[in-house]
Amino acid sequence: MGSNSSRIGDLPKNEYLKKLSGTEPVSENDPFWNQLLSFSFPAPTKGHVNICVENNPRTGNLGALIKVFLSRTKELKLSAECQNHIFIWQTHNALFIICCLLKVFISEMSEEELQLHFIYEEKSPGSYSSDSEDLLEELLCCLMQLITDIPLLDITYEISVEAISTMVVFLSCQLFHKEVLRQSISHKYLMQGPCLPYTSKLVKTLLYNFIRQEKPPPPGAHVFSQQSDGGGLLYGLASGVATGLWTVFTLGGVGSKAATRPELSSPLANQSLLLLLVLANLTDAPDAPNPYRQAIMSFKNTQDSSPFPSSIPHAFQINFNSLYTALCEQQTSDQATLLLYTLLHQNSNIRTYMLARTDMENLVLPILEILYHVEERNSHHVYMALIILLILTEDDGFNRSIHEVILKNITWYSERVLTEISLGSLLILVVIRTIQYNMTRTRDKYLHTNCLAALANMSAQFRSLHQYAAQRIISLFSLLSKKHNKVLEQATQSLRGSLSSNDVPLPDYAQDLNVIEEVIRMMLEIINSCLTNSLHHNPNLVYALLYKRDLFEQFRTHPSFQDIMQNIDLVITFFSSRLLQAGAELSVERVLEIIKQGVVALPKDRLKKFPELKFKYVEEEQPEEFFIPYVWSLVYNSAVGLYWNPQDIQLFTMDAD
């Protein structure tokens, strides 16, 4: 670090580090800063730091460093245009040091103590006091300007990533609190004052960074020369500083097991998406709503020429086609799925646009693949994918159109070879598979409810169901029927046992029975809805019903199902009679032909009408209690170059690797 250090091994003797961490203040105008910032070690990729700060509140050297950075950013745009590699390189190094220090300060002290490190006082010999200023707000505004205004070039790529990372670090105080933070200094600065006018521009820039998925420049275009002995600035500090500004320094990750993180094709896109999600999920201020959430809720398509209502603040326009394409391509990550959920749920312009697309399979297929590989996904990712489907199925147009999209050779669906199937039938298959997985593994009632709600929303629009999809609907009912009989038998035996022993506590079979009967009724309502509204479109479902008609016998007289069984019983009786008249030893093709003929002959007025099945996704009260820990877990696991000590994290439980 500094022009006199070419190897990490030389850093313990580095005079610039000693001066920075010493007891004497360094003026922002001191030539020292140019020397300090001329290091060429690459940024670290592994490790975590514990730092105890001693001298900085007295020297104000962090404040001086921030002043140096702020003065340099005023010339950054011109430096980019002039290809001034050295100036941009040194400015990046200044921000990198600030970010490293800030990350550790936030993890180790309160916000009030942190503010002391952002008080800059110009010290002069023989003086005891002078004017001071709080640099935190100024630094935040500067970062927002840097992210939104500096053109993205090979030489500015790293400093753009670093600026976004530093903003994430500014907000990371949430990681070190068990409860959701509803007020903080950084939140206040971001939601009012000089930072507020940058809201829409920042959200728009972060979205475009996600859309473009810009890859980092090749090594030859990098402004930092790579060193053969590896390491990085943090490694250098670990070797070079023993006392002073940093008095205790522990580095992990070298020679220890590091968390496995996938290689990212675009660190800028990843970091931008994480910051966007963090900003969108900040809690509202006591006197004002979250402006970043407002921006996400209200932006429009660039092709929409209608004026924004004056009541909508922080509005902007963005290319919806590009955004849609990026969302379709990036659904393998939790954060991209969470962004899709956020936009669908909160921005009606996006929702309307997506539902009008004629290539919805590009969006739906990645979501179905997430659900299909439920065993490999975390529960939050599965929930988000499922809720996205539920939101989509609230629209009748979507429910009709998915049965018109024909897919060929779905390679990831391994239970059965599907050479040709509609998107609607595939969706049904995957949702039913998710229900069955949940019944045997997780037994999560919330997941069950949302799966069944999505099927119920679709049921009136079922069209030309694939024979395998029709079979799976009836197979799921069969599984539920068996489970119902098993629990009923257990409850009966338990009741008999209680007559002979009053001391043994009984399992709550009544509750289990109620839950199963709720699910069975829901399945019967889904089947009934299809028969009532689209019987003539679904001969395969009628065939599957007839093939397994004995399953429904026990529910005909059950008081919980009698009403909903009327139509199902009528259809089974009607078509069974026609098959009986046709004789024995009928082929599958002949049975389907009889069913298609019978559909025309069945009087529609004989089918009892029930209220339409419609379920709407409603976010739970205090959604921040779920989303804020979820977002920060994504930051913890996915952010590039930001590593926190797992033992320090309080917002959620992390196992140290």
Side-chain angles (χ1 to χ4, degrees):
M1 183 183 299
S3 59
N4 294 330
S5 291
S6 59
R7 295 184 299 107
I8 290 177
D10 294 335
L11 289 172
K13 297 172 283 187
N14 187 284
E15 294 300 320
Y16 301 103
L17 281 176
K18 290 181 179 179
K19 187 170 182 178
L20 175 65
S21 59
T23 57
E24 296 298 320
V26 182
S27 167
E28 64 182 284
N29 300 313
D30 197 305
F32 156 80
W33 297 109
N34 283 336
Q35 299 295 331
L36 174 71
L37 300 178
S38 297
F39 62 87
S40 57
F41 299 114
T45 56
K46 295 178 183 178
H48 61 268
V49 188
N50 288 332
I51 304 176
C52 297
V53 182
E54 185 178 279
N55 291 331
N56 186 64
R58 293 195 297 274
T59 64
N61 285 345
L62 173 59
L65 174 59
I66 291 171
K67 279 286 198 179
V68 170
F69 170 73
L70 293 174
S71 66
R72 282 174 168 271
T73 55
K74 295 172 184 175
E75 302 174 44
L76 201 56
K77 196 170 184 178
L78 181 62
S79 298
E81 293 170 358
C82 299
Q83 295 285 302
N84 189 337
H85 287 244
I86 293 177
F87 186 87
I88 295 172
W89 164 48
Q90 291 182 331
T91 307
H92 169 275
N93 288 348
L95 181 57
F96 179 65
I97 296 173
I98 292 167
C99 184
C100 290
L101 291 173
L102 183 64
K103 183 167 75 73
V104 180
F105 289 2
I106 287 174
S107 70
E108 301 221 341
M109 61 187 67
S110 67
E111 283 195 312
E112 291 73 21
E113 292 173 306
L114 177 66
Q115 273 197 303
L116 293 176
H117 295 275
F118 284 87
I119 301 297
Y120 174 66
E121 296 185 20
E122 181 72 48
K123 305 284 187 181
S124 57
S127 67
Y128 294 95
S129 64
S130 60
D131 293 335
S132 64
E133 55 183 315
D134 186 347
L135 296 173
L136 179 57
E137 187 171 44
E138 193 175 347
L139 179 58
L140 276 172
C141 285
C142 178
L143 291 172
M144 295 173 86
Q145 285 179 300
L146 195 161
I147 294 166
T148 57
D149 293 347
I150 301 302
L152 187 61
L153 309 169
D154 282 352
I155 60 173
T156 60
Y157 189 96
E158 291 295 340
I159 196 168
S160 297
V161 173
E162 200 63 51
I164 294 169
S165 297
T166 305
M167 284 201 68
V168 172
V169 167
F170 259 117
L171 294 161
S172 67
C173 52
Q174 177 64 81
L175 281 171
F176 311 103
H177 292 79
K178 290 181 179 179
E179 305 297 327
V180 168
L181 286 179
R182 302 188 182 278
Q183 294 185 39
S184 78
I185 294 169
S186 54
H187 292 189
K188 182 183 73 173
Y189 286 144
L190 284 170
M191 292 191 187
Q192 60 189 33
C195 290
L196 191 60
Y198 291 97
T199 297
S200 59
K201 199 172 182 181
L202 178 62
V203 172
K204 183 176 182 177
T205 300
L206 296 175
L207 277 171
Y208 269 126
N209 286 347
F210 167 72
I211 289 169
R212 290 168 181 148
Q213 295 289 317
E214 291 281 358
K215 296 181 179 180
H222 205 287
V223 295
F224 317 112
S225 58
Q226 301 292 313
Q227 299 293 318
S228 60
D229 55 355
L233 172 61
L234 292 181
Y235 295 80
L237 293 177
S239 303
V241 181
T243 60
L245 181 61
W246 305 281
T247 57
V248 178
F249 201 112
T250 307
L251 184 66
V254 180
S256 64
K257 181 184 176 185
T260 302
R261 301 180 187 219
E263 288 296 320
L264 296 167
S265 61
S266 177
L268 179 65
N270 180 73
Q271 229 67 344
S272 296
L273 178 51
L274 292 172
L275 176 57
L276 182 64
L277 292 172
V278 169
L279 292 171
N281 286 280
L282 294 177
T283 54
D284 294 336
D287 53 349
N290 177 349
Y292 303 95
R293 189 181 301 121
Q294 284 184 314
I296 285 171
M297 291 172 65
S298 58
F299 70 83
K300 297 194 305 184
N301 196 352
T302 48
Q303 296 182 3
D304 186 345
S305 57
S306 62
F308 282 103
S310 57
S311 59
I312 298 180
H314 316 299
F316 64 91
Q317 291 179 288
I318 204 166
N319 187 308
F320 277 14
N321 182 59
S322 300
L323 178 58
Y324 178 81
T325 301
L327 286 166
C328 292
E329 292 173 349
Q330 300 299 320
Q331 285 307 306
T332 52
S333 74
D334 277 71
Q335 47 266 41
T337 305
L338 181 54
L339 176 64
L340 174 58
Y341 158 79
T342 302
L343 295 177
L344 272 175
H345 178 52
Q346 298 186 2
N347 190 313
S348 59
N349 300 320
I350 279 280
R351 186 166 59 252
T352 301
Y353 173 84
M354 288 187 176
L355 288 168
R357 294 282 302 205
T358 57
D359 60 347
M360 276 298 288
E361 68 272 18
N362 292 336
L363 185 69
V364 175
L365 281 172
I367 299 300
L368 294 183
E369 199 167 350
I370 292 168
L371 291 174
Y372 185 78
H373 295 112
V374 60
E375 303 93 336
E376 303 165 17
R377 305 288 182 180
N378 69 68
S379 60
H380 290 349
H381 200 182
V382 172
Y383 283 147
M384 289 299 101
L386 190 53
I387 292 169
I388 287 167
L389 285 186
L390 180 56
I391 292 171
L392 293 174
T393 61
E394 292 171 12
D395 183 76
D396 285 341
F398 171 83
N399 295 332
R400 282 191 298 271
S401 65
I402 55 175
H403 292 287
E404 298 166 3
V405 178
I406 304 302
L407 308 169
K408 296 181 184 295
N409 299 317
I410 308 300
T411 54
W412 48 262
Y413 193 95
S414 59
E415 270 87 348
R416 178 166 172 157
V417 176
L418 299 174
T419 54
E420 187 172 289
I421 189 171
S422 71
L423 179 60
S425 288
L426 181 64
L427 195 158
I428 292 166
L429 285 175
V430 173
V431 171
I432 287 175
R433 184 180 184 275
T434 305
I435 293 173
Q436 291 180 324
Y437 174 84
N438 186 51
M439 285 176 64
T440 57
R441 306 283 181 86
T442 54
R443 299 182 181 179
D444 187 326
K445 186 180 178 182
Y446 179 79
L447 192 142
H448 250 36
T449 302
N450 284 285
C451 283
L452 291 167
L455 289 177
N457 285 346
M458 296 167 58
S459 60
Q461 308 292 338
F462 283 172
R463 294 289 188 277
S464 304
L465 289 184
H466 190 280
Q467 61 180 32
Y468 186 52
Q471 289 171 18
R472 299 309 296 163
I473 291 172
I474 305 304
S475 294
L476 176 58
F477 186 81
S478 174
L479 184 65
L480 291 166
S481 176
K482 290 175 183 176
K483 195 169 181 63
H484 178 269
N485 292 341
K486 182 179 178 181
V487 173
L488 193 60
E489 184 181 347
Q490 288 173 332
T492 304
Q493 291 177 350
S494 175
L495 188 60
R496 288 171 183 163
S498 67
L499 297 176
S500 58
S501 175
N502 296 324
D503 301 329
V504 181
L506 296 175
D508 192 0
Y509 289 115
Q511 184 177 354
D512 291 346
L513 205 58
N514 285 337
V515 171
I516 294 169
E517 288 184 354
E518 283 178 15
V519 176
I520 287 176
R521 179 168 180 90
M522 191 80 158
M523 280 301 300
L524 289 172
E525 287 178 344
I526 290 167
I527 295 169
N528 178 72
S529 174
C530 177
L531 297 179
T532 306
N533 294 284
S534 53
L535 178 65
H536 55 296
H537 289 299
N538 292 290
N540 283 327
L541 183 62
V542 177
Y543 183 98
L545 267 175
L546 294 172
Y547 190 75
K548 292 283 189 179
R549 54 183 174 269
D550 292 344
L551 277 175
F552 298 88
E553 190 65 35
Q554 63 175 308
F555 299 106
R556 291 175 62 189
T557 56
H558 194 292
S560 299
F561 312 120
Q562 265 183 319
D563 58 334
I564 206 72
M565 275 297 301
Q566 288 181 33
N567 288 340
I568 297 172
D569 192 36
L570 173 64
V571 168
I572 290 173
T573 303
F574 177 82
F575 285 99
S576 295
S577 173
R578 294 184 75 89
L579 290 176
L580 196 60
Q581 293 171 18
E585 304 297 328
L586 300 174
S587 66
V588 173
E589 292 75 16
R590 178 61 182 145
V591 171
L592 286 172
E593 185 183 339
I594 293 168
I595 290 171
K596 290 174 185 176
Q597 294 169 353
V599 165
V600 179
L602 178 65
K604 301 297 183 290
D605 58 356
R606 291 180 62 187
L607 294 173
K608 181 182 176 182
K609 290 290 183 182
F610 285 85
E612 184 182 10
L613 289 179
K614 272 298 171 188
F615 293 88
K616 189 175 179 62
Y617 168 68
V618 179
E619 208 168 56
E620 294 185 8
E621 291 184 15
Q622 295 186 313
E624 65 274 7
E625 298 291 341
F626 168 83
F627 285 103
I628 289 177
Y630 180 31
V631 168
W632 278 106
S633 72
L634 297 180
V635 173
Y636 179 91
N637 288 308
S638 309
V640 179
L642 297 178
Y643 296 84
W644 287 274
N645 186 343
Q647 296 175 347
D648 294 336
I649 305 300
Q650 296 189 41
L651 183 60
F652 47 82
T653 302
M654 287 302 306
D655 295 325
D657 285 309

